[in-house]
Structures are given as C-alpha cells and as structure tokens.
C-alpha cells in the first residue's frame, strides 16, 4: 500500500521506514488506548501481557465489541497463522505468544493456520514438500509455547482442505479479482493460486460459526502486514451471515541488522535468531547485531545510547526481559550510558540460550501429539 508514503506494507511486501501513525490512518485501524488496555487487564484478572504494556501490539479493529460479547457470555475464539517458508525466528513467536497469553487468561479455543500452499505460490523457490515439512516443524515450535492442547486446532492447508473447501467456495464467490488486485497489488504475472489464496486465509475466521450454526466471534492477533487479508474477510462477513473478525495488530519488529523488519523476504540469515541456530551462531549474530550505541565508549558514557533504534533492545522488549522491572532498568541504563552495548549483548546472550534450551525440551513432548490437532475430518454438510 501507498508507495508515495516512503514505505510499503502488504502481506507480500514490507519495505521502507514505516510511519506507524500514518499506517494506522491509511489502514483505518483503531488505537489500542489506555482505557482498552485497562479493561483487558481487569478482565484478565489484573495481569497484562508485556506485549500490550510495551506497545508491541498497537492497534485493533472491534476489540471492545468482542469484549462486550465475552462479558455477556458469548466467548470468542482466537485465530492466527504462519506461512511455513523456513525455520521460525524469535520475532515470529511474538504473535503466538500474544495468542497463548489470551488463551491462558480467557480460556478460549485457538485455531492455528499453517499455509503450506501459500508459500509455494508466493515463493518461487519452495516446493510443496519443503513447505509441508517446514509446516510441521513450525507447528511444533508454536505449540511448544504452551497452548492448551485440548483447546487448540490446526488448519494445515493441504491436509485440512477437505474440511475447509465448502466454506472456501462460498467465501471465494464473494471476492472479486479487482478487489484482490487492488488490495494485494497483484501483477498480470501473479499466479492464480495466490489470487485464490486469500479465500483460504478467511476460512478460519468463519469456520466455527459455519460448523456450529451459531455466531462465534473471532479475534485475530497478527502483524499489521496481514490486515489487508482481513479487510477482505470483514467486507464479506455480513453478506455470508457471519460476524466480522476482530483484530489486534502488532508493529513489525526490527531485524538484527537494523531498521529492516525481521520478516522481509530475502533477508540475510544474520538478520534474525532462528530457532534452529546453534549456540555459537546465536552468539555471533548477537555480537554483530545493530544497536543504538555511540561511536566510542567515552561518548556513550557521556551521551547515552538510543534504544528506540536498537535491535537488541527490541529483543528485551518482546519477551527476553524477565519482567517490567528488568525491562525498565535496561532501558534506563541504556539511555543514561551506564550500560554499554557489549555488556548488554552478553546479558541477552545467556537469556537467549536458556530460552532456547527450555524451548527444545518443550518441543520434544509436543512433537508426539502436534499432528493430532490438525483438522482432517470432512466438514458437516451445510
Ligand atoms: N499469511 C500468513 C503468512 O504469510 C499466514 C497466516 C495465515 C496468518 N492465517 C493467518 C497470519 C492469520 C496471521 C493471522 O505468514
């Protein structure tokens, strides 16, 4: 969207220095206000995820209406997804950590979509076998975050298509070619798989309502780059008799090499900490990571550093700080010049290592049951 703004944000391209206030205006999303955050904290029993308190999630669509319904006894379900184009990196986990937190506080069902088809259509060099393999591996990583096994369901596109297809037919009928062309910026050379694909990303939004014949509200925590898909879903929802999905949008996270986001296609492997990196690779990447530090130690002691542009600070912020107190200390000491980049990097290295080893253990147990959560049954005839 909007090349003339100096940045582009679509599901298939994220480029330039994103002005998030401007993006909110362009997309027409609502600010996640202190009043909404207070309400969420109250409803969650007094606790609020650091991803909300620290502004990683920053806008929404229709969240208050969804919370109203919840309070009146109509629970929602969570939906988010992953395009399995390779190993996950730590920023990919942020969106699912948000979901995990909401599930743990609101005790609602979670639907995860693994789009092994999308990544064949969107990435020329990947085969179906590769995306399917990454899909399983990514799914195990996501479930290892601690989703409630009895309340989590997976659409793995090529495996779940039998259940999804009748609803996909109804959805696709209502989406015109000119809509997808305008929303996603497709070219004449775009393959028709991708033209159809948005219908499949909409299916989980309506699936529980379609299956049960009741109106089941949907909440989608996702990166703001995915919003265009769900604008399409929202536009057709009422015509199909389903509630419009509500959304919670995060900012794109900076990569280790600086301003660019971690999830932009074709990035160097050094731009992110992948969950299959060795400890030595993690240390090397962190050592070489871009920070907001000054040219010399003397200058940094005197003037302090700039956390806002620092890729390491983004890691503290998105979960590696053990609590708000530690996060505030790191931020304060960075700004004042008391904490130098070398020391800060060493501290986070050991934090990342312990996260990775706990995560590996969790994966071992998840691996034995992950595939049982994949929806494979034929859908009810409706
Ligand atoms: N299109 C997303 C990607 O490329 C995957 C996805 C499917 C998704 N359904 C979703 C992301 C719902 C967020 C919310 O990674």
């Amino acid at each position: 969207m909007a090349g003339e703004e100096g940045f582009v944000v679509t599901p298939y391209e994220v480029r330039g220095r994103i002005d998030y206030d401007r993006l909110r205006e362009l997309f027409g999303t609502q600010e996640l206000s202190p009043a909404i955050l207070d309400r969420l904290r109250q409803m969650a029993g007094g606790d609020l995820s650091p991803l909300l308190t620290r502004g990683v999630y920053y806008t929404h669509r229709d969240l208050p209406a969804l919370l109203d319904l919840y309070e009146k006894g109509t629970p929602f379900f969570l939906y988010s997804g992953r395009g399995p184009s390779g190993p996950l990196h730590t920023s990919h986990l942020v969106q699912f950590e948000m979901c995990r937190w909401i599930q743990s506080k609101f005790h609602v069902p979670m639907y995860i979509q693994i789009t092994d088809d999308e990544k064949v259509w969107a990435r020329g060099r990947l085969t179906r076998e590769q995306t399917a393999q990454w899909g399983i591996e990514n799914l195990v990583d996501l479930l290892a975050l601690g989703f409630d096994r009895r309340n989590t369901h997976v659409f793995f596109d090529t495996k779940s298509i039998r259940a999804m297809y009748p609803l996909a037919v109804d959805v696709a009928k209502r989406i015109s070619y000119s809509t997808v062309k305008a929303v996603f910026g497709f070219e004449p050379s775009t393959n028709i798989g991708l033209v159809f694909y948005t219908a499949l990303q909409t299916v989980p939004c309506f699936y529980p309502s379609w299956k049960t014949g009741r109106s089941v509200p949907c909440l989608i925590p996702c990166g703001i780059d995915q919003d265009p898909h769900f604008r399409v879903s929202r536009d057709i929802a009422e015509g199909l008799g389903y509630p419009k999905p509500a959304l919670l949008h995060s900012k794109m996270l900076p990569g280790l090499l600086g301003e660019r986001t971690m999830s932009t296609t074709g990035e160097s492997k050094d731009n992110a900490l992948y969950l299959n990196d060795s400890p030595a690779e993690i240390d090397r990447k962190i050592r070489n990571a871009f920070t907001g530090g000054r040219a010399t130690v003397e200058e940094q002691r005197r003037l302090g550093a700039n956390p806002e542009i620092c890729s390491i600070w983004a890691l503290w912020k998105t979960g590696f700080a053990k609590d708000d107190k530690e996060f505030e200390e790191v931020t304060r000491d960075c700004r004042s010049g008391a904490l130098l980049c070398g020391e800060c990097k060493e501290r986070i290295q050991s934090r990342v290592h312990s996260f990775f080893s706990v995560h590996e253990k969790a994966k071992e147990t998840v691996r034995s049951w992950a595939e049982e959560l994949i929806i494979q049954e034929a859908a009810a005839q409706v």
Side-chain angles (χ1 to χ4, degrees):
M1 153 159 268
E4 64 278 11
E5 303 289 336
F7 59 85
V8 175
V9 177
T10 77
Y12 300 108
E13 188 177 21
V14 177
R15 183 159 45 82
R17 181 194 283 248
I18 303 169
D19 175 340
Y20 282 101
D21 292 333
R22 183 74 188 120
L23 186 60
R24 180 165 63 75
E25 281 169 21
L26 289 169
F27 278 13
T29 60
Q30 306 300 308
E31 204 176 338
L32 213 45
S33 66
I36 297 181
L37 293 181
D38 279 346
R39 185 170 176 201
L40 271 172
R41 179 185 280 114
Q42 224 172 23
M43 290 176 75
D47 197 23
L48 202 55
S49 160
L51 298 173
L52 293 166
T53 56
R54 295 175 198 164
V56 177
Y57 278 81
Y58 90 115
T59 70
H60 72 91
R61 291 187 191 271
D62 286 346
L63 186 58
L66 181 105
L67 298 178
D68 288 347
L69 282 170
Y70 181 87
E71 279 177 335
K72 290 187 197 124
T74 306
F76 55 92
F77 69 96
L78 288 157
Y79 161 39
S80 203
R82 156 76 184 158
S85 54
L88 288 173
H89 53 63
T90 55
S91 314
H92 290 132
L93 298 180
V94 164
Q95 161 193 345
F96 290 91
E97 170 52 24
M98 187 74 262
C99 294
R100 189 206 58 79
W101 183 86
I102 297 173
Q103 185 181 56
S104 75
K105 299 296 179 186
F106 292 80
H107 311 289
V108 290
M110 170 79 202
Y111 285 79
I112 298 174
Q113 183 178 31
I114 303 289
T115 61
D116 58 329
D117 50 354
E118 178 192 18
K119 294 297 147 173
V120 172
W121 291 327
R123 304 274 180 102
R125 64 193 162 74
L126 285 172
T127 65
R128 202 153 41 71
E129 290 72 18
Q130 286 169 322
T131 59
Q133 246 166 25
W134 282 122
I136 297 292
E137 192 59 27
N138 291 173
L139 177 62
V140 172
D141 273 313
L142 298 177
L143 293 172
L145 291 179
F147 286 99
D148 175 357
R149 177 178 170 183
R150 282 145 313 173
N151 214 2
T152 299
H153 315 276
V154 177
F155 292 102
F156 197 114
D157 284 357
T158 61
K159 301 179 198 295
S160 307
I161 194 65
R162 197 162 165 216
M164 299 168 78
Y165 198 61
L167 181 53
V169 170
D170 293 344
V171 165
K173 184 176 182 177
R174 285 172 172 74
I175 305 173
S176 73
Y177 176 64
S178 68
T179 298
V180 290
K181 185 168 180 289
V183 169
F184 301 107
F186 289 152
E187 304 286 343
S189 60
T190 302
N191 66 62
I192 62 171
L194 223 45
V195 173
F196 173 71
Y197 168 73
T198 197
L200 290 181
Q201 187 154 328
T202 286
V203 162
C205 303
F206 305 146
Y207 189 86
S209 298
W210 174 60
K211 247 302 344 227
T212 60
R214 282 182 287 112
S215 177
V216 191
C218 173
L219 174 63
I220 311 171
C222 63
I224 184 120
D225 63 318
Q226 296 295 314
D227 186 71
H229 280 295
F230 300 118
R231 287 207 291 271
V232 175
S233 319
R234 288 168 55 85
D235 281 349
I236 63 172
E238 280 170 355
L240 283 164
Y242 303 124
K244 289 185 182 191
L247 288 128
L248 198 49
H249 309 96
S250 72
K251 296 182 179 175
M252 309 309 291
L253 297 169
L256 293 175
L257 300 177
E259 286 237 309
R260 291 163 301 165
T261 69
M262 269 204 183
S263 50
T264 305
T265 312
E267 282 297 351
S268 146
K269 291 285 271 178
D270 285 356
N271 202 26
L273 301 174
Y274 288 88
L275 299 186
N276 62 356
D277 282 345
S278 68
E281 272 173 313
I282 290 167
D283 284 349
R284 183 182 56 77
K285 287 182 182 184
I286 291 178
R287 254 195 326 274
N288 295 335
F290 175 81
T291 69
R294 303 277 174 177
T296 65
V297 170
E298 184 278 324
E299 244 186 72
Q300 188 153 335
R301 290 275 186 228
R302 189 158 45 85
L303 301 169
N306 179 6
E308 311 297 334
I309 60 167
C310 175
S311 67
I312 300 297
W313 186 69
L315 292 176
W316 288 119
K317 177 169 163 165
T318 52
F320 287 104
K322 64 176 182 297
D323 51 32
D324 282 347
K325 184 165 162 282
E326 181 177 48
F327 176 64
E328 276 148 31
E329 269 168 25
V330 167
T331 307
R332 187 196 59 211
D333 293 350
C334 167
R335 285 215 171 91
S336 74
L339 179 62
L340 296 177
C341 296
E343 189 191 327
C344 179
K345 284 178 166 181
E346 271 171 33
R347 262 168 74 179
I348 206 150
Q349 272 168 350
S350 65
R351 214 48 82 71
V352 173
H353 290 313
S354 50
F355 167 77
F356 273 50
S357 67
V358 169
H359 186 73
E360 272 311 307
K361 286 228 171 60
K363 277 177 77 171
E364 278 167 34
T365 54
V366 165
R367 199 175 286 283
S368 63
W369 51 263
E371 290 180 58
E372 288 166 21
L373 305 190
I374 298 176
I375 297 169
Q376 277 172 327
E377 87 274 25
Q381 297 297 308
V382 181

